[in-house]
Amino acid sequence: MTLDRQRLCVELQRLDWARHLSSDVIEDIAAAAEISQFRPGDEVIAVGAEITKVYFVIEGSLESSLFDRLDKQIHCERLARGSVLGLFSVVLPERSHLQVSAIEPTTAIHFTLDELLRLTTKHREFQLSIFSAAANVVKRLVVVDRDLPKPAVVGVVHQSDTSRSLTVDLVRRLRQLEEAVCVAGDDDRCSPSDGVPFKQLYENGQMVSRDAITSSLKEWSSLGRLFIDVRADHPQDDLNRLLSYSEVVLWCIAPAEVDKATNQLQALQRDAPWLRDKVRIVWHLTYQDAAPPYAAKLNELSAGDFKTYSGQPSPQHGRLLQQGLERIIHHLRGVHIGLALGGGAARGMAHLGVLKCLEQHGIFVDRLAGTSAGAMTGTVYAAGMDPEYSTQCFKTDLMPGWLFRRLPAGGYWYLIYKYRYDQFDPMLRKYLHDFRMEQLAIPMTTIAVDLVEGALLERHCGDATHNILESINLPPLALPIVKQGQAVVDGGLLNNVPANALFDQGCNFVIASTVTASLEKDFLSIRGKRSSAVSGFFPTLKVMMRQHMIQGYSMNDVGVQPADLVIAPDVTSFDLSEFTRADEMAVIGEAATNESIERLKAMLHKLDPQLFR
């Protein structure tokens, strides 16, 4: 994008750091600025170079890596529209420890130190903006600031008219959150009578002139969010031009439109490979679809997706499926909530009560990670099953048969039978069918361990049922799952409460639900009047299970340490094999969550006061 001075003034007014500046100051900044444009891969600053300029990103994005004196990379971040680069380095005598290059076509303005000092001396309000920018850099480096990008310009591309209501719904919801929103598009549904500033991008089948767009942007410069809302059937040059201006692109499709969308995104990305990092697929589904089709090529062309559902849900469908729009709002508001569900065999059924309570209070997570029982409960929830319905299913499906109920330690014998005769697979497929992780309503990660490499395995793609089977594969009840050179067992061996995985995946608020925070203080009635002998098969089996329990307890603090809030239902009175009491444990999980709910709401309110009131 080539900027003239008038357009530069418009673009500056839309940046957060410049929003409060007067038009005279904006014009003075624009007149003094030098404009640089970078293509993807272009180097902006090299390690060892002398930094003599301060850059302000106007359009596009850069990748910045910070190196120490031994040339070890210690920090990496993406610098999006509105970022400031080189503010500290320009006054240091030593050479650059930064390596900065363009990720996509990027426009930046830059000043020498002398010119920057002249402007800040002349304009006190600009001086305050520079101080604020410096403070934000420090906040990011010390991880005080949890803010994720909040795209000011959102592209919405409709493969067909079936998704046209999405933009209207998003605008309405953002206005409820006290945002000022404007729309530029090829459809007149967002009209001025709705109270939303609207600009037609097409007249008589042709895109309006750049001057007309600039005029509208100048008029809307005080507004915070712009939607560019268009059909996918416009000429490729038009789409490239519009999407290059967008910071995130919501590409809306129905299941029947996969091939068409794939072909079009492939064509666009041949000329603009950087577009992939902006695109999020928005699936327009009905409850009868159960899940979107698996589309490997389409997944490769986007950085993620959202699933939205319409129609009438069945009793087994949870409220999660109704919250697709709200998860898009979370993304636009820079909120990404994760929930980590820990292992603990049957005691993990308490997680279902945690999920139920969060739903009842209107707290819907954006991403899940689970180990062992947490992987099982989390994955069926991520597939859209109602927590209460799931509780009854697990209670029924894991009821030992008549013979097992009469054997000593029959619950363990029953679990051995379920493992050794591959009975968990058909049980789970009744609900998950052949779904892959990519088809679930929200992203889910399961945790397992490879005994060959001694390595943690984080599964966020592939067959959902297989991933659960790996994560719940608990020695000594089960044998390792051997495939592709790996011997896979329960993930609790290395990470029983995977809160850290959620932070690594971009969550800026993480809740942990753990059932291993407490440990019952008796074993084999040793502290009772009639202690049991620790010999024979059954006590030996209980010893091994006790070892597993202690391992989970001792690792609990490590697992939950990164979490912002920990919910710890006390289910120590339940045996590790008592899945038939799933409903009782779910009630305890719900009660424990209720005890923490006000604190949780207060913390989320600090993250986004409008979204969490």
Side-chain angles (χ1 to χ4, degrees):
M1 179 181 69
T2 302
L3 291 182
D4 56 29
R5 297 296 166 177
Q6 180 186 10
R7 180 67 183 276
L8 178 56
C9 289
V10 172
E11 296 302 327
L12 283 171
Q13 286 177 306
R14 294 185 57 79
L15 301 181
D16 286 342
W17 62 264
R19 197 177 299 279
H20 68 284
L21 300 179
S22 67
S23 58
D24 288 343
V25 176
I26 291 287
E27 290 174 6
D28 202 3
I29 293 170
E34 293 291 331
I35 300 175
S36 295
Q37 294 189 301
F38 305 99
R39 295 172 297 180
D42 282 356
E43 189 174 69
V44 181
I45 298 175
V47 172
E50 182 181 0
I51 298 181
T52 59
K53 301 171 184 175
V54 178
Y55 293 87
F56 296 79
V57 181
I58 303 298
E59 178 78 7
S61 59
L62 306 170
E63 183 175 71
S64 172
S65 297
L66 178 64
F67 295 84
D68 65 14
R69 294 181 183 277
L70 300 178
D71 294 331
K72 177 183 177 182
Q73 182 175 309
I74 56 176
H75 183 72
C76 183
E77 65 176 317
R78 183 172 181 146
L79 301 176
R81 180 176 176 271
S83 298
V84 182
L85 174 65
L87 193 55
F88 292 120
S89 302
V90 75
V91 297
L92 296 174
E94 58 189 41
R95 292 186 175 270
S96 169
H97 292 282
L98 289 173
Q99 172 70 42
V100 183
S101 56
I103 299 174
E104 59 181 291
T106 300
T107 300
I109 60 173
H110 57 81
F111 303 95
T112 64
L113 178 58
D114 288 342
E115 192 62 27
L116 189 64
L117 290 174
R118 182 189 70 79
L119 287 169
T120 54
T121 301
K122 181 179 179 182
H123 303 292
R124 184 174 182 275
E125 51 192 300
F126 183 48
Q127 185 181 96
L128 293 175
S129 293
I130 295 300
F131 286 154
S132 177
N136 284 330
V137 171
V138 174
K139 285 169 67 178
R140 288 201 311 272
L141 289 176
V142 298
V143 201
V144 172
D145 190 356
R146 292 170 178 254
D147 285 349
L148 294 175
K150 300 177 182 66
V153 184
V154 181
V156 186
V157 180
H158 305 278
Q159 202 67 52
S160 66
D161 284 337
T162 57
S163 61
R164 274 296 193 178
S165 62
L166 177 70
T167 305
V168 178
D169 292 339
L170 290 172
V171 168
R172 182 183 298 118
R173 179 69 177 112
L174 290 171
R175 293 181 74 200
Q176 290 174 355
L177 298 173
E178 303 175 7
E179 280 200 25
V181 184
C182 47
V183 179
D186 57 5
D187 184 77
D188 59 3
R189 297 188 189 193
C190 291
S191 64
S193 61
D194 299 322
V196 177
F198 180 80
K199 172 67 179 180
Q200 275 284 359
L201 289 175
Y202 282 83
E203 294 177 356
N204 301 319
Q206 299 292 319
M207 185 183 287
V208 298
S209 68
R210 190 180 297 273
D211 288 343
I213 295 175
T214 300
S215 175
S216 295
L217 290 175
K218 185 174 182 179
E219 181 183 345
W220 297 342
S221 61
S222 62
L223 301 181
R225 187 94 65 173
L226 167 64
F227 282 86
I228 297 176
D229 183 70
V230 294
R231 297 189 306 272
D233 58 3
H234 291 298
Q236 185 169 322
D237 287 345
D238 286 0
L239 286 177
N240 265 332
R241 176 180 158 192
L242 293 171
L243 299 185
S244 68
Y245 187 68
S246 304
E247 294 166 65
V248 66
V249 176
L250 304 176
W251 197 287
C252 307
I253 69 170
E257 298 164 347
V258 170
D259 290 342
K260 187 183 294 185
T262 300
N263 292 336
Q264 192 160 14
L265 280 169
Q266 283 178 327
L268 285 169
Q269 292 184 24
R270 275 195 290 269
D271 295 331
W274 43 265
L275 184 61
R276 180 201 175 276
D277 292 334
K278 293 185 177 185
V279 172
R280 303 294 187 278
I281 302 299
V282 178
W283 291 94
H284 183 68
L285 307 164
T286 67
Y287 289 101
Q288 288 68 41
D289 293 320
Y294 173 58
K297 289 183 179 179
L298 192 60
N299 292 340
E300 293 172 1
L301 296 168
S302 67
D305 65 13
F306 300 99
K307 282 89 171 180
T308 63
Y309 289 80
S310 61
Q312 186 62 38
S314 69
Q316 74 181 54
H317 290 136
R319 292 174 61 197
L320 174 75
L321 296 185
Q322 303 169 33
Q323 300 302 314
L325 180 78
E326 196 68 7
R327 285 193 293 279
I328 300 175
I329 293 294
H330 281 200
H331 182 72
L332 299 182
R333 301 277 297 186
V335 171
H336 202 60
I337 303 172
L339 174 61
L341 305 174
R347 295 174 178 179
M349 296 298 100
H351 297 318
L352 295 167
V354 174
L355 290 163
K356 177 183 175 182
C357 185
L358 292 175
E359 277 195 358
Q360 288 175 336
H361 289 276
I363 298 170
F364 293 91
V365 298
D366 303 294
R367 188 177 290 270
L368 288 162
T371 298
S372 194
M376 185 162 67
T377 55
T379 303
V380 296
Y381 179 75
M385 282 180 61
D386 177 72
E388 197 162 359
Y389 178 83
S390 300
T391 301
Q392 296 306 316
C393 289
F394 283 127
K395 180 176 179 178
T396 301
D397 291 342
L398 292 170
M399 169 71 75
W402 178 86
L403 176 62
F404 292 107
R405 293 199 300 271
R406 278 152 182 79
L407 289 174
Y412 292 104
W413 276 114
Y414 176 65
L415 291 177
I416 291 172
Y417 161 74
K418 294 282 282 187
Y419 280 117
R420 302 297 173 90
Y421 289 89
D422 201 21
Q423 295 297 301
F424 279 106
D425 188 297
M427 181 194 89
L428 292 168
R429 288 195 190 278
K430 286 192 300 182
Y431 313 107
L432 296 174
H433 311 288
D434 291 325
F435 294 161
R436 293 177 61 90
M437 304 292 276
E438 299 93 325
Q439 296 173 273
L440 302 180
I442 60 173
M444 172 72 198
T445 299
T446 60
I447 306 296
V449 171
D450 173 23
L451 294 179
V452 177
E453 293 289 339
L456 196 70
L457 303 174
E458 294 186 3
R459 307 291 201 195
H460 48 81
C461 58
D463 186 277
T465 298
H466 285 168
N467 291 347
I468 294 174
L469 295 178
E470 289 182 345
S471 189
I472 67 172
N473 198 46
L474 177 63
L477 303 182
L479 298 174
I481 297 172
V482 179
K483 63 178 184 180
Q484 298 177 342
Q486 296 176 326
V488 185
V489 297
D490 187 298
L493 182 64
L494 293 180
N495 191 353
N496 201 46
V497 189
N500 61 317
L502 293 168
F503 277 111
D504 292 343
Q505 292 165 6
C507 294
N508 60 347
F509 190 92
V510 173
I511 307 163
S513 175
T514 174
V515 294
T516 55
S518 301
L519 183 70
E520 58 271 38
K521 301 305 181 184
D522 195 13
F523 174 58
L524 294 177
S525 302
I526 287 172
R527 293 184 176 177
K529 293 182 179 179
R530 301 174 64 183
S531 63
S532 303
V534 189
S535 62
F537 176 76
F538 301 128
T540 301
L541 180 60
K542 292 203 171 207
V543 168
M544 289 187 287
M545 294 304 296
R546 178 69 173 183
Q547 289 174 337
H548 175 77
M549 189 187 308
I550 291 172
Q551 181 182 18
Y553 173 71
S554 64
M555 292 181 60
N556 187 77
D557 288 344
V558 176
V560 304
Q561 192 275 332
D564 297 294
L565 181 84
V566 179
I567 300 169
D570 186 352
V571 284
T572 54
S573 61
F574 298 85
D575 188 78
L576 295 177
S577 66
E578 286 189 296
F579 286 94
T580 53
R581 300 176 69 186
D583 52 348
E584 299 174 56
M585 289 180 273
V587 169
I588 293 173
E590 184 178 352
T593 310
N594 264 317
E595 291 175 3
S596 301
I597 205 69
E598 291 306 318
R599 182 180 170 215
L600 173 58
K601 288 181 177 179
M603 295 175 76
L604 290 173
H605 178 77
K606 291 180 180 180
L607 189 65
D608 189 322
Q610 283 73 42
L611 192 58
F612 303 103
R613 301 190 183 194

